[in-house]
Amino acid sequence: MSIHDLTVGLPAPKPLRLSETALLLDLDGTLAPIAARPQDVRPDPRRTSLLERLVQKLDGRLAVVSGRTLADVDRILEGCVTPVAAVHGLVLRGPDGVVRETPPHPNLAKAAEGFRAFAARDTGLIVEQKGGLSVALHFRLASGQAEAARACARRLAAETGLVLQEGDMVEELRAPGASKGDSVRTFMAGPPFAGAMPVFVGDDATDEDGFAAAQALDGAGVRVGAPRPTAARCGLIGVEAALVWLEASS
């Protein structure tokens, strides 16, 4: 059965059994509300305290798997989580704090230049550079440019050989390499995650690989947000519901 054949209505996830669980959490749209501009997402004492409690009760079996840069994840979460897969898995920091990073892509500068030229047409278009690995074009503040932005991204992907990563009101061009699903498998293969049941929680199309990877390892995918076709088997209506569910387990 394909992902598009699945029903969009999902049951709520059951309470977590922390002694058996490994949590893998997306950030934007999952732990933090989506903001009009990426830089507008800031640290939050409630979220930081929750994650600190979960890290302790899970004996370290908690990782953040995000499209953001590693520096951005640490800024927003105040450095409270060590295992992080950033830039959709192209950067991975293990539980030991060691960082592994995909080499920069030689054509990323061309893609960034193309996005910036396109963004000059509307002040609501935002270009986000993620080092030498990825560049994103956000059009949440310029929704009328959505189709043109998608066409621009597809053209640049064909010209540069970069991977097109489509998200919620954003088109991203990234270096080929690891995905969020690969990051789930990497974390679950080693301590302290190995042997636990992976639960991947995310909100966007970029998280579908994570859902599939967790479920292939006898775990679960939890989709956050409005109903849509998904591989996840459980759902929560939004960020607040996700935080309440996690707080009930902490």
Side-chain angles (χ1 to χ4, degrees):
M1 181 180 292
S2 77
I3 185 174
H4 299 293
D5 294 328
L6 298 176
T7 58
V8 294
L10 296 172
K14 295 179 180 179
L16 291 168
R17 297 179 179 177
L18 296 184
S19 63
E20 305 170 3
T21 300
L23 266 178
L24 303 116
L25 305 172
D26 177 45
L27 178 49
D28 293 279
T30 300
L31 295 174
I34 298 287
R37 302 184 304 164
Q39 62 267 36
D40 290 340
V41 179
R42 304 186 186 281
D44 176 71
R46 174 193 180 190
R47 181 176 57 234
T48 299
S49 177
L50 168 61
L51 292 175
E52 287 173 340
R53 293 196 305 273
L54 285 169
V55 167
Q56 183 176 16
K57 293 192 175 184
L58 288 161
D59 293 326
R61 297 186 306 277
L62 186 151
V64 171
V65 183
S66 172
R68 288 201 179 246
T69 65
L70 185 57
D72 240 5
V73 172
D74 285 345
R75 173 184 65 82
I76 295 166
L77 301 185
E78 301 182 276
C80 69
V81 178
T82 297
V84 173
V87 198
H88 306 289
L90 296 178
V91 177
L92 191 142
R93 183 173 66 201
D96 56 3
V98 175
V99 177
R100 289 180 284 169
E101 184 169 338
T102 301
H105 195 281
N107 288 337
L108 196 75
K110 179 179 179 179
E113 181 181 352
F115 273 171
R116 290 191 182 99
F118 178 85
R121 66 174 65 188
D122 192 310
T123 57
L125 295 165
I126 298 170
V127 177
E128 180 189 12
Q129 181 100 34
K130 302 179 183 181
L133 296 176
S134 177
V135 61
L137 176 65
H138 298 265
F139 47 91
R140 189 173 300 278
L141 296 175
S143 58
Q145 299 287 346
E147 287 307 313
R150 294 184 181 108
C152 174
R154 288 193 292 267
R155 174 179 59 80
L156 287 171
E159 292 175 359
T160 62
L162 293 164
V163 174
L164 176 59
Q165 186 96 50
E166 296 185 298
D168 185 2
M169 303 298 283
V170 60
E171 296 288 308
E172 187 167 351
L173 293 170
R174 46 161 285 187
S179 68
K180 288 189 175 185
D182 294 323
S183 301
V184 169
R185 288 184 283 272
T186 297
F187 283 130
M188 294 306 303
F193 297 88
M197 184 187 76
V199 177
F200 187 96
V201 189
D203 73 301
D204 204 353
T206 61
D207 297 308
E208 292 296 332
D209 283 346
F211 299 148
Q215 288 164 181
L217 293 169
D218 297 322
V222 179
R223 162 82 164 91
V224 178
R228 65 164 176 78
T230 179
R233 295 172 184 163
C234 300
L236 293 160
I237 196 60
V239 171
E240 178 63 22
L243 294 176
V244 168
W245 173 62
L246 291 171
E247 286 172 333
S249 301
S250 67

